């Protein structure tokens, strides 16, 4: 191989490394192995055991393939994470259509995001571990649908994106708290230890000390036993958005 051919190969490899995985051709060497099968196996493993259990080697074992053969379809674990994130984004897209009223539409999308997030609780870890900010086709469909849902507010696309980001931040934060609470309950069931009951005397002592006057009712009731309402919090956020932009709302 001549020097010019070697340079050309390096250039192609470099270009491939910065090209989004969705824009690359998938290998076709084995009829029983595909990019879709790899992603499906990765999702199955993550749902059962968490994101930490997902590896190229583990997926190859699940699919009865050689580890190196998977690299005909993806270049790296970063590619795999991008593909997994986009597959989940596809679950968020609402296929049956949205209400015309923007608050109802955004509430429907937010509730779908929450349901998908709880179905795949490792998604929060995936967001934190992805090394790229690339967005795939399903992610773009979700964004397109979310921006379209806000059409009644007559916002510029960038301003609509900021509103969507605020809603997404609320949803992700709420999901994180729900997942944490669910893990606490699961641990209590597995160990037979009621963490809330064990900490209650400590909180009662703090309440009785007189130092925490404002939050004494919370301490006595137990901080972790305080319920929360997803749609109530979302409505507070949407009230603020409507207060700022509601004057531009047009009636259909």
């Amino acid at each position: 191989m001549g020097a010019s051919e070697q340079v050309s190969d390096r250039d192609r490899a470099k270009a491939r490394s910065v090209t989004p995985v969705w824009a690359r051709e998938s290998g076709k060497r084995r009829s029983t192995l595909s990019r879709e099968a790899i992603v499906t196996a990765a999702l199955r493993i993550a749902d059962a055991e968490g994101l930490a259990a997902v590896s190229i080697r583990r997926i190859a074992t699940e699919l009865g393939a050689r580890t190196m053969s998977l690299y005909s379809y993806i270049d790296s674990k970063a590619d795999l994470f991008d593909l997994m994130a986009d597959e989940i984004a596809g679950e968020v897209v609402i296929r049956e259509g949205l209400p015309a009223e923007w608050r109802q539409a955004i509430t429907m999308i937010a509730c779908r995001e929450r349901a998908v997030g709880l179905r795949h609780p490792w998604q929060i870890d995936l967001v934190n571990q992805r090394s790229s900010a690339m967005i795939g086709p399903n992610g773009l469909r979700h964004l397109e649908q979310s921006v379209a849902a806000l059409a009644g507010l007559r916002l510029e696309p960038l301003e609509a994106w900021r509103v969507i980001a605020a809603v997404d931040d609320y949803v992700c934060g709420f999901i994180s708290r729900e997942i944490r609470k669910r893990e606490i309950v699961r641990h209590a069931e597995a160990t037979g230890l009621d963490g809330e009951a064990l900490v209650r005397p400590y909180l009662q002592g703090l309440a009785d000390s007189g130092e925490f006057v404002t939050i004494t009712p919370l301490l006595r009731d137990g901080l972790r036993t305080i319920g929360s309402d997803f749609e109530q919090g979302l409505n507070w956020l949407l009230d603020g958005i409507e207060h700022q932009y509601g004057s531009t709302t047009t009636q259909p």
Side-chain angles (χ1 to χ4, degrees):
M1 181 180 293
S4 61
E5 291 175 320
Q6 291 177 350
V7 171
S8 178
D9 286 344
R10 285 197 299 270
D11 289 344
R12 282 194 292 270
K14 183 177 180 181
R16 182 177 174 84
S17 69
V18 298
T19 302
V21 62
W22 305 279
R24 300 181 218 146
E25 291 186 5
S26 177
K28 302 294 183 182
R29 297 183 184 178
R30 288 184 47 179
S31 59
T32 58
L33 192 61
S34 66
R35 185 179 288 171
E36 292 74 18
I38 292 169
V39 175
T40 298
L43 293 174
R44 185 168 58 247
I45 293 168
D47 285 343
E49 303 175 38
L51 188 63
V54 176
S55 69
I56 303 298
R57 182 183 299 275
R58 175 66 186 281
I59 294 170
T61 300
E62 289 282 317
L63 296 176
R66 292 182 300 104
T67 300
M68 293 306 297
S69 65
L70 270 64
Y71 290 104
S72 298
Y73 302 88
I74 57 174
D75 287 354
S76 64
K77 193 171 183 178
D79 282 348
L80 178 62
F81 281 177
D82 284 344
L83 290 166
M84 291 172 70
D86 197 58
E87 189 69 20
I88 291 175
E91 296 182 30
V92 177
V93 176
I94 296 173
R95 312 290 179 179
E96 58 270 26
L98 293 173
E101 200 275 323
W102 74 269
R103 286 187 65 135
Q104 294 177 12
I106 288 297
T107 297
M108 181 180 287
I109 292 172
C111 288
R112 177 68 64 87
E113 288 179 344
R114 179 192 179 197
V116 171
L118 292 176
R119 187 158 62 242
H120 305 294
W122 47 269
Q123 182 183 2
I124 302 298
D125 292 335
L126 181 64
V127 171
N128 293 331
Q129 291 191 36
R130 288 182 67 196
S131 58
S132 75
M134 289 185 179
I135 183 169
N138 285 325
L140 289 174
R141 292 183 185 102
H142 171 49
L143 179 60
E144 169 74 17
Q145 186 171 68
S146 299
V147 172
L150 294 172
L153 291 180
R154 299 292 186 183
L155 303 177
E156 293 296 323
L158 180 58
E159 201 66 20
W161 182 87
R162 289 172 175 160
V163 168
I164 292 164
V167 174
D168 283 347
D169 288 345
Y170 168 74
V171 175
C172 288
F174 197 96
I175 290 173
S176 295
R177 185 169 46 162
E178 282 189 292
I179 292 172
R180 174 61 179 159
K181 189 169 184 178
R182 191 163 65 181
E183 288 301 314
I184 290 171
V185 172
R186 183 177 292 120
H187 180 266
E189 292 173 347
T191 62
L193 298 175
D194 185 346
E196 292 183 4
L198 291 173
V199 79
R200 198 167 294 128
Y202 165 73
L203 294 177
Q204 184 64 51
L206 294 177
D208 294 342
S209 71
E211 182 180 355
F212 304 97
V213 178
T214 306
I215 62 171
T216 289
L218 302 181
L219 295 173
R220 285 181 174 159
D221 292 339
L223 291 174
R224 290 180 179 175
T225 63
I226 299 171
S228 55
D229 187 300
F230 175 76
E231 290 202 23
Q232 177 64 75
L234 180 61
N235 280 329
W236 287 333
L237 177 59
L238 298 183
D239 285 346
I241 293 168
E242 187 169 28
H243 177 74
Q244 181 166 349
Y245 300 110
S247 61
T248 62
T249 306
T250 58
Q251 298 297 324

